[in-house]
Amino acid sequence: MGVSIEPEISRKLTKQRKKLLLSQFELSQKAKVSLRTIQDIEGGRRKAFSEATLLAVCRALEIPYDYLWVSDDENGSDNHISSTESVHSTTRGRNLIDILRKKFTFVIVAIILLTTITITTLLVINSNILSNKTKRFDWVTLSSKMVIDPITPEWTEWPNKIYNKECFACINHIEYSRTTSAKDTIPMSIQWSWFYPPPANTEVFISAYSCWEPDSEIRIWHGDLTKEGTKTIPFMLFAPEVPGIYTIRIFYTEAFAPVSNYYGSPPPNQVTAPSYSRYCELVLEVL
């Protein structure tokens, strides 16, 4: 059974459609009813329509269904207008909030990107500065490096004048395997000789350092040299964990302390350099 509508209802619906700037065709599309139905409602050609049709038209026009049956006095009209304006104001407010939210998100992302770039740049700069500050330099010189045979290295004799008498110490032979596996133990031995005729008496250090552990000393020998003699001393190193080509330096030092590291830095009690320090450099291949 249809719902009867009065001319006043037709007038209200027409007025609201025009207020929303909708054509009859647009309203029919929005309400999902035929154009003929909208024309019949507004033109009063039909007096009764289904409740479902009227509900669909009211939803499309953004008005409550009950509004059709309220007398269109001044207060009622104002209340409806206020209600409609409130709906539009709410919609505009939500749109504004969405726009602001998107802009705020963009600003936050931009700030994060700029901060990340700035921090990365500072870290790179700081790393370069720190690298330059902590870069280690050799104290040893080419003139103090002994030329050795790569297979059977020999530290050739070097003389030292003491009390106008000829003194010397030399490495006769260093035995080790030039190739090894990562983390393996590297057995080594060194044979050396000396000749320090009385009254010569010199404190000597023989130390080994590796480039992969440059501050870890392996003390091969320490003592006072006098007269003459020959010693063969075994010692060992531990290969690094990463395969590659590495070097080992063996230092002979006449001083009150050995050199401090692989780079031949002076001992703490000598701020310049050891009084006498020579070294040989051995190559190790880790497979």
Side-chain angles (χ1 to χ4, degrees):
M1 184 176 178
V3 178
S4 298
I5 62 171
E6 301 294 331
E8 182 64 21
I9 294 176
S10 298
R11 188 190 64 79
K12 285 183 179 181
L13 294 175
T14 302
K15 181 179 179 181
Q16 183 63 15
R17 176 179 64 78
K18 293 179 178 179
K19 185 172 184 179
L20 296 180
L21 303 177
L22 296 173
S23 66
Q24 289 183 336
F25 176 75
E26 289 171 336
L27 177 57
S28 69
Q29 293 292 308
K30 192 174 180 182
K32 294 183 174 54
V33 297
S34 67
L35 174 60
R36 180 62 179 271
T37 299
I38 298 300
Q39 292 173 341
D40 288 346
I41 290 174
E42 293 186 359
R45 285 189 288 269
R46 286 171 53 187
K47 301 300 181 182
F49 298 87
S50 68
E51 187 174 29
T53 298
L54 293 176
L55 283 170
V57 173
C58 287
R59 281 194 297 269
L61 292 174
E62 301 175 5
I63 57 175
Y65 180 68
D66 293 341
Y67 168 69
L68 299 180
W69 320 111
V70 177
S71 60
D72 195 12
D73 57 17
E74 184 178 356
N75 292 334
S77 178
D78 290 343
N79 289 337
H80 168 63
I81 292 171
S82 299
S83 175
T84 304
E85 290 179 350
S86 176
V87 170
H88 287 290
S89 297
T90 302
T91 303
R92 287 194 298 270
R94 288 175 180 171
N95 292 338
L96 180 60
I97 290 173
D98 289 339
I99 293 172
L100 292 175
R101 185 183 292 115
K102 290 179 182 178
K103 289 185 177 180
F104 180 75
T105 303
F106 174 79
V107 171
I108 293 297
V109 171
I111 290 174
I112 292 174
L113 287 175
L114 288 174
T115 303
T116 303
I117 293 172
T118 303
I119 291 175
T120 303
T121 304
L122 290 175
L123 287 175
V124 170
I125 294 173
N126 188 57
S127 176
N128 291 337
I129 294 174
L130 186 61
S131 175
N132 290 333
K133 286 184 177 179
T134 58
K135 187 176 181 180
R136 307 179 73 170
F137 300 93
D138 276 343
W139 282 73
V140 296
T141 62
L142 289 177
S143 62
S144 65
K145 183 177 180 179
M146 296 289 94
V147 178
I148 60 173
D149 184 277
I151 300 175
T152 56
E154 291 187 0
W155 212 342
T156 55
E157 176 181 306
W158 62 83
N160 185 14
K161 295 285 186 178
I162 300 180
Y163 301 111
N164 296 318
K165 294 185 178 181
E166 195 78 14
C167 301
F168 74 85
C170 68
I171 300 298
N172 303 319
H173 180 70
I174 299 174
E175 185 176 344
Y176 78 108
S177 175
R178 294 193 68 222
T179 59
T180 187
S181 299
K183 300 184 181 179
D184 272 3
T185 301
I186 309 168
M188 306 180 73
S189 67
I190 180 171
Q191 184 188 81
W192 64 293
S193 302
W194 70 91
F195 177 67
Y196 280 75
N201 190 338
T202 302
E203 186 176 12
V204 170
F205 295 87
I206 299 180
S207 306
Y209 289 94
S210 64
C211 67
W212 62 92
E213 290 185 348
D215 296 306
S216 297
E217 180 198 8
I218 297 173
R219 182 70 57 83
I220 298 174
W221 193 84
H222 168 222
D224 294 331
L225 291 185
T226 185
K227 300 182 181 180
E228 61 181 308
T230 298
K231 283 183 179 292
T232 299
I233 304 174
F235 63 100
M236 62 179 167
L237 294 172
F238 293 99
E241 298 180 1
V242 180
I245 304 297
Y246 298 87
T247 53
I248 302 165
R249 287 178 177 176
I250 298 178
F251 289 88
Y252 169 91
T253 307
E254 292 180 3
F256 297 106
V259 294
S260 299
N261 51 44
Y262 170 86
Y263 306 98
S265 301
N269 62 343
Q270 289 180 282
V271 295
T272 54
S275 61
Y276 191 76
S277 181
R278 305 293 291 272
Y279 75 100
C280 66
E281 191 169 275
L282 311 177
V283 177
L284 177 69
E285 182 178 8
V286 179
L287 303 177

